[in-house]
Amino acid sequence: MNRHPRLLHAAAALALAACASSPPVAAPPTDVAVPAAWNPGAQASAAGATLADDWWTSFRDPQLDALVQRVLERSFDLAQALARLEAAAAARGIAAGEALPQLDGGFDAQRNRRLFLGFPFGGGGVPSSTFTTYGLTLSARWELDVWGRVRSGESAAIADVEAAAADAAAARTSLIAQTCRAWFAATEARQQLALAEATVATLRATYDDVRDRFRRGVRPALDVHQASANLANAEAAVAQRRDALGIALRRLDVLAADYPRGGAAVPATLPQDAPAIPVGAPSDLLLRRPDLAAAERRLAAAGCRVDVARANLYPRIALTGSAGTASTELEDLVDEDFHVWSIGANVLAPLFRNGALRADVARNEALLEQAAAGYGRALIQAFAEVEDVLGAEAQLRERRARTAEAAGHAARARELARDRYQKGLVDFVTVAETQRQSFLADAARIALDRLTLDNRIDLFLALGGGYRRPAPDAGASRP
């Protein structure tokens, strides 16, 4: 189920739209004061960088790259977005058809019987005549777009195509982000399962040691029961982690439009270094985020439809004409002696519509205000998403550092507690507590690794993609 043909159709639709007049870019709301830099502080500059469509490759995981390509080729969600783009392109073609003369061709044949009533012909009955006529015509009609009604309608349709294209781009970016999140969630689930299994092995060794000491009369039965309970809880955690891994793997299958068997092979550990992103200035979002581009194009389309509604208040002027042949003999249709033609013009002015046309103007003006408010809301939401992600970035770095430090101390405490227990210097409660803390610290460290990657994916999504920096000598050889 390859979606490449739809991509080609979408590209053709955009090329068709580019041949006509696209409405100008609508200005963002003037009451939104956009700062020169993001709130968390100075970030890496994006000057000279270009938008990278393959931003997920910065994670340097060939398996993930292959999965993303498979998802993009097979996704039903993306297929829906591309189908909507094709529908918008077809609607633009309908609107464009009104700008050119309308041509119709026709052929007709009629068999007629005429009665001659009141004529003093002899004989009985009513005299009559029966004959056949043939006609071949070509008619044309062309509306003179004096008030810009047709032109504005076509511009609105072009803006709809551009909005649908931006929606498709947003759907693609969102789908890639979902795939990356699901991939790292499955990787974390596998890593958490490995940790749980290693913990079971550690607790089983501890249980065997405690039981041996109990049999030799060195430790009480309380230690045996406590070690057995800890081991059983750890085994239950393994079952829970295994179930979580199965769910995460089946999620990957669903994204790729496969039957959810859960058989995908994911890495054993999460990547430790998230790719850096030059975030640039807040105003860059207006050029980078496809959802903002879609909102702006819908605003432009709404403005064009106001012009259409206003033009409907004025008369429509059209030129009409027809040419053809008419004869009672079929072979005479190509004879110039039987040619007929007509040419004319008509004006159709709305005189009384009970206020319907002015109400349509008011409706479209209200829709324009709605689109402007939607654009402003989308813009504010986009700024908030980036600020939230950038704010979480610093907090996650701090949490990861402290959690990794805690995991190191917990592992050391666990080893010391077990050594001191074997020497009879501490009770088993101390051993069990240090083992529990070590397991929790390692699990938290793995979870934070995944949260950091998710936050970086959210940053890619919030910024509208990644950046590809130009080579230092990119323009050195140019004159």
Side-chain angles (χ1 to χ4, degrees):
M1 187 174 56
N2 195 307
R3 301 298 178 191
H4 287 308
R6 287 193 179 275
L7 291 174
L8 294 176
H9 295 162
L14 288 176
L16 179 65
C19 296
S21 175
S22 176
V25 176
T30 56
D31 55 345
V32 178
V34 181
W38 299 102
N39 189 49
Q43 301 290 332
S45 173
T50 56
L51 193 63
D53 290 334
D54 58 346
W55 54 265
W56 68 90
T57 59
S58 58
F59 290 108
R60 297 181 179 86
D61 187 340
Q63 289 179 282
L64 175 59
D65 298 344
L67 176 63
V68 168
Q69 292 298 334
R70 180 175 175 81
V71 168
L72 291 177
E73 291 174 358
R74 298 172 58 86
S75 170
F76 293 110
D77 292 337
L78 187 56
Q80 284 183 323
L82 293 175
R84 286 191 290 269
L85 174 55
E86 291 179 352
R92 184 264 168 183
I94 295 173
E98 294 191 36
L100 299 175
Q102 309 295 311
L103 298 177
D104 295 300
F107 170 77
D108 66 89
Q110 294 183 359
R111 180 74 170 169
N112 300 279
R113 180 173 182 266
R114 180 176 298 177
L115 299 178
F116 298 97
L117 300 176
F119 287 90
F121 296 135
V126 179
S128 65
S129 173
T130 302
F131 59 94
T132 302
T133 59
Y134 302 94
L136 185 64
T137 61
L138 177 65
S139 59
R141 184 182 185 278
W142 182 28
E143 179 179 344
L144 300 180
D145 195 20
V146 177
W147 320 112
R149 184 189 69 85
V150 176
R151 185 167 57 254
S152 296
E154 185 179 3
S155 294
I158 292 173
D160 287 339
V161 174
E162 294 167 340
D167 284 337
R172 178 180 182 273
T173 303
S174 176
L175 184 63
I176 294 170
Q178 292 178 50
T179 303
C180 292
R181 288 196 197 99
W183 179 259
F184 292 136
T187 304
E188 183 210 357
R190 178 182 175 185
Q191 196 170 349
Q192 294 281 15
L193 175 60
L195 173 63
E197 290 173 341
T199 301
V200 166
T202 299
L203 294 182
R204 182 172 287 113
T206 300
Y207 169 76
D208 293 340
D209 182 42
V210 171
R211 185 179 58 178
D212 179 66
R213 288 173 175 273
F214 167 73
R215 289 175 177 175
R216 289 188 286 112
V218 177
R219 303 302 302 178
L222 176 62
D223 289 1
V224 177
H225 291 300
Q226 196 165 11
S228 180
N230 291 344
L231 178 59
N233 287 331
E235 290 172 339
V238 167
Q240 181 183 9
R241 297 294 190 186
R242 188 174 290 115
D243 180 58
L245 176 58
I247 293 174
L249 293 176
R250 287 189 289 273
R251 171 63 177 161
L252 293 176
D253 291 334
V254 170
L255 284 169
D258 289 328
Y259 186 85
R261 303 181 186 278
V266 296
T269 58
L270 291 165
Q272 295 300 303
D273 297 323
I277 307 175
V279 297
S283 58
D284 291 344
L285 290 189
L286 296 174
L287 302 175
R288 294 166 55 181
R289 281 190 49 145
D291 59 332
L292 294 183
E296 183 277 326
R297 288 290 81 192
R298 291 190 175 93
L299 175 58
C304 292
R305 291 192 170 93
V306 170
D307 294 336
V308 172
R310 289 172 178 167
N312 285 333
L313 297 173
Y314 303 103
R316 296 187 187 182
I317 304 173
L319 301 179
T320 61
S322 65
T325 54
S327 174
T328 59
E329 300 296 333
L330 187 61
E331 61 269 17
D332 291 338
L333 292 180
V334 295
D335 191 336
E336 294 183 359
D337 293 338
F338 295 89
H339 280 186
V340 294
W341 59 267
S342 68
I343 187 170
N346 64 70
V347 177
L348 181 64
L351 298 179
F352 178 73
R353 300 289 180 85
N354 199 24
L357 294 181
R358 294 195 178 277
D360 189 51
V361 173
R363 181 182 69 88
N364 280 279
E365 288 176 343
L367 292 176
L368 176 61
E369 293 179 3
Q370 177 183 339
Y375 183 33
R377 180 185 62 184
L379 187 60
I380 291 296
Q381 182 62 33
F383 290 147
E385 288 174 2
V386 180
E387 292 285 5
D388 289 344
V389 175
L390 290 177
E393 185 81 7
Q395 301 300 325
L396 283 170
R397 281 198 301 266
E398 180 66 18
R399 289 175 61 188
R400 283 184 74 196
R402 299 288 77 80
T403 302
E405 181 181 353
H409 289 305
R412 181 59 179 159
R414 181 192 63 203
E415 298 301 324
L416 289 175
R418 182 170 182 178
D419 180 67
R420 292 173 68 84
Y421 175 77
Q422 291 175 343
K423 295 177 180 178
L425 300 177
V426 297
D427 56 16
F428 184 73
V429 173
T430 302
V431 175
E433 179 61 18
T434 56
Q435 289 176 335
R436 186 185 69 84
Q437 289 183 356
S438 180
F439 169 75
L440 292 177
D442 284 337
R445 176 182 53 79
I446 295 172
L448 277 172
D449 287 344
R450 203 258 296 180
L451 285 176
T452 300
L453 293 170
D454 281 354
N455 194 70
R456 188 51 52 87
I457 294 170
D458 290 340
L459 184 56
F460 277 121
L461 198 60
L463 293 173
Y467 270 118
R468 181 181 294 109
R469 290 184 178 276
D473 57 346
S477 60
R478 297 177 183 177

